[in-house]
Amino acid sequence: MTATAEPELAEHFEATLRRNDRIEPRDWMPEAYRATLVRQIAQHAHSEVIGMQPEGNWVTRAPSLRRKAVLLAKVQDEAGHGLYLYSACETLGTSRRELTEKLISGRQKYSSIFNYPTLSYADVGTIGWLVDGAAICNQVPLCRTSFGPYGRAMIRICKEESFHQRQGYELLMTMMRGTDEQRAMVQESVDRFWWPALMMFGPPDADSPNTERSMAWGIKRNTNDELRQKFVDMTVPQARALGVTLPDPELRWDEQRQAHHFGQPDWAEFKQVVSGNGPCNAQRVAHRKRAHDEGAWVREAATAFAAKQAAAAEETGDRR
Ligand SMILES: [Fe+2]
Ligand SMILES: [Fe+2]
């Protein structure tokens, strides 16, 4: 085999990006591209899995069998999203075990939103509406991301996220048609989640050093601020239809820009939460670690079973 020179490989990589074709795991890629993808996909996978906790908190206290079935299905979908994404990440030469260890030891992050507590059942609705809504804004452009396995995982995930958003909105709509107490519960929940939902798009563009390179590589297709704007424009009419107020005194329609003007989240709070000091960071990671430790025997049993199957298959093969 003749070794292909690196400049030639790099040119092939750049040409693939220019054609808007996908980069596949077997293709040569710059190490920094690989490292950026591992970081982003792992963070995304961890968010799906950690994201099961705030809502899982309400599974045993769902107000009806129907609500419980919907919530269970939603939380299980998130586990599935985590699995697709860990698999996509493994094609880059890492392993789920390594990624999980990095999550548990705090060396890899997950979305800041899941470090906020869920205090009422209305939060289940608000998370579906705002958090899954923000996730959709973030993730739809990722269906066209340059790395094949990531883009294909996102196509499937996005279909399920739409269901998540709708079940949340439908729950809030039902509560808004209920008693004054239920309406107050929805408003209180929206007040708590609005700003953390805006933070989900990451820091302002001026403060996001990796954005430019990720866009050049076709990993990211829109900047943080573009996506945040899109989310606000999409959500304002939904809030109106629902009958809730978004807790931003600056929020108004800007005729000139044909978009909403809105206030800035508390970026100091965002930095605190991202660096591990949010209301629930320690609890979320401790819970994930406990689940991982308690699952050790399942992993051991599955590995032993697979080895036994492989040995049996080899023996049968020998006899043939
Ligand atoms: Fe998800
Ligand atoms: Fe979701």
Side-chain angles (χ1 to χ4, degrees):
M1 192 181 116
T2 47
T4 317
E6 190 149 310
E8 212 173 295
L9 292 168
E11 175 44 36
H12 183 260
F13 173 80
E14 294 295 338
T16 309
L17 292 183
R18 278 196 300 275
R19 286 196 310 272
N20 259 328
D21 272 352
R22 304 261 208 209
I23 305 293
E24 295 298 335
R26 63 176 180 274
D27 295 337
W28 181 92
M29 59 187 86
E31 271 318 300
Y33 175 85
R34 185 186 301 273
T36 301
L37 275 171
V38 168
R39 182 174 50 81
Q40 181 172 332
I41 303 174
Q43 184 167 326
H44 194 162
H46 298 328
S47 302
E48 301 286 353
V49 171
I50 295 278
M52 292 194 286
Q53 291 184 40
E55 291 177 282
N57 179 35
W58 286 94
V59 168
T60 55
R61 292 171 291 162
S64 69
L65 183 61
R66 176 174 174 268
R67 291 293 169 199
K68 184 168 180 153
V70 172
L71 181 57
L72 265 178
K74 198 252 183 191
V75 172
Q76 284 176 350
D77 281 354
E78 306 300 7
H81 297 174
L83 291 183
Y84 308 154
L85 290 164
Y86 283 125
S87 301
C89 207
E90 284 188 326
T91 68
L92 290 159
T94 180
S95 70
R96 191 170 144 201
R97 177 199 208 119
E98 194 184 319
L99 299 173
T100 303
E101 276 162 12
K102 282 187 176 155
L103 168 68
I104 287 171
S105 60
R107 282 175 292 155
Q108 279 177 345
K109 296 190 192 314
Y110 54 90
S111 175
S112 57
I113 191 78
F114 302 119
N115 292 311
Y116 291 87
T118 44
L119 305 179
S120 77
Y121 206 80
D123 288 358
V124 169
T126 308
I127 288 179
W129 176 39
L130 296 180
V131 176
D132 289 274
I136 292 171
C137 280
N138 255 328
Q139 293 172 5
V140 165
L142 286 177
C143 295
R144 295 181 291 113
T145 194
S146 58
F147 186 57
Y150 191 27
R152 288 188 287 272
M154 290 321 305
I155 291 170
R156 182 153 172 189
I157 289 175
C158 281
K159 288 183 181 153
E160 293 175 349
E161 297 300 1
S162 315
F163 152 66
H164 297 171
Q165 205 235 6
R166 291 187 64 159
Q167 65 82 33
Y169 195 73
E170 190 263 353
L171 168 58
L172 296 182
M173 199 51 117
T174 306
M175 290 183 79
M176 290 304 283
R177 289 200 201 101
T179 62
D180 284 346
E181 211 181 341
Q182 285 175 306
R183 275 186 286 277
M185 209 187 260
V186 172
Q187 184 62 58
E188 189 274 337
S189 172
V190 170
D191 288 345
R192 270 184 293 112
F193 273 98
W194 175 247
W195 294 110
L198 288 191
M199 293 176 196
M200 285 176 69
F201 298 94
D205 292 348
D207 222 0
S208 175
N210 299 327
T211 293
E212 204 181 324
R213 196 160 64 164
S214 284
M215 300 259 299
W217 276 334
I219 296 176
K220 265 175 105 153
R221 296 295 188 185
N222 301 90
T223 72
N224 298 353
D225 287 334
E226 282 168 11
L227 293 168
R228 198 168 1 254
Q229 180 72 54
K230 202 171 150 209
F231 173 69
V232 171
D233 291 339
M234 179 182 99
T235 308
V236 168
Q238 294 172 352
R240 203 171 300 133
L242 204 52
V244 295
T245 311
L246 297 173
D248 178 357
E250 285 186 45
L251 190 62
R252 61 179 165 76
W253 177 249
D254 181 339
E255 191 57 44
Q256 216 173 11
R257 278 201 309 126
Q258 288 292 302
H260 290 87
H261 169 80
F262 56 96
Q264 286 296 306
D266 180 347
W267 292 116
E269 176 184 315
F270 174 74
K271 280 185 185 143
Q272 278 298 309
V273 177
V274 167
S275 55
N277 304 314
C280 298
N281 295 57
Q283 178 191 333
R284 299 292 186 236
V285 174
H287 185 87
R288 181 69 195 86
K289 184 180 180 324
R290 196 162 55 244
H292 185 66
D293 292 346
E294 284 172 3
W297 71 270
V298 180
R299 291 190 297 278
E300 274 163 33
T303 310
F305 181 72
K308 220 169 165 178
Q309 294 284 94
E314 204 168 289
E315 208 172 284
T316 324
D318 284 349
R319 255 188 267 129
R320 235 184 263 138

